[in-house]
């Protein structure tokens, strides 16, 4: 079991706190902002319990990636340049051929 005290800097946000049968508790989800970057620490549990198969695990990871990713900025257009043509992608089936 991972427990406290753990040598982490104080987080900007405590997202998850895990607790165990013996009364122990450990910070298991934390965020930090460092300069222009963002860090998310996540300790969901032990591999023996196969936690990575649960949809909640995947939701946390997806949300963390979205939160930590830098914002997408539109490219600057040169004076007189045409805007790129964007065509919608329609859902379909079949194979992609190279």
């Amino acid at each position: 079991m991972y427990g406290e005290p753990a040598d982490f800097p104080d987080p900007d946000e405590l997202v998850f706190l895990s607790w165990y049968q013996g009364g122990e508790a450990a910070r298991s989800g934390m965020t930090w902002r460092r300069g222009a970057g963002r860090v998310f620490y996540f300790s969901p549990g032990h591999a023996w319990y196969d936690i990575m198969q649960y949809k909640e695990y995947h939701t946390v990871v997806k949300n963390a990636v979205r939160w930590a990713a830098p914002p997408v900025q539109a490219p600057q257009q040169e004076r007189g340049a045409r805007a790129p043509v964007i065509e919608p992608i329609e859902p379909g089936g079949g194979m992609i051929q190279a």
Side-chain angles (χ1 to χ4, degrees), residues 25-72:
R27 297 171 288 173
S28 54
M30 296 177 275
T31 67
W32 294 270
R33 287 178 176 82
R34 295 294 182 259
R38 295 177 174 183
V39 177
F40 178 68
Y41 167 83
F42 183 44
S43 178
H46 200 282
W48 287 349
Y49 297 110
D50 204 15
I51 192 75
M52 291 181 234
Q53 72 178 335
Y54 296 109
K55 68 177 183 149
E56 295 84 1
Y57 171 86
H58 294 263
T59 300
V60 170
V61 172
K62 286 177 191 176
N63 287 340
V65 169
R66 287 184 188 119
W67 176 82
V72 177

Side-chain angles (χ1 to χ4, degrees), residues 1-4 17-28 43-46 49:
M1 159 194 121
Y2 300 101
E4 299 285 346
L17 180 66
S18 298
W19 65 94
Y20 304 92
Q21 290 178 353
E24 301 90 355
R27 297 171 288 173
S28 54
S43 178
H46 200 282
Y49 297 110

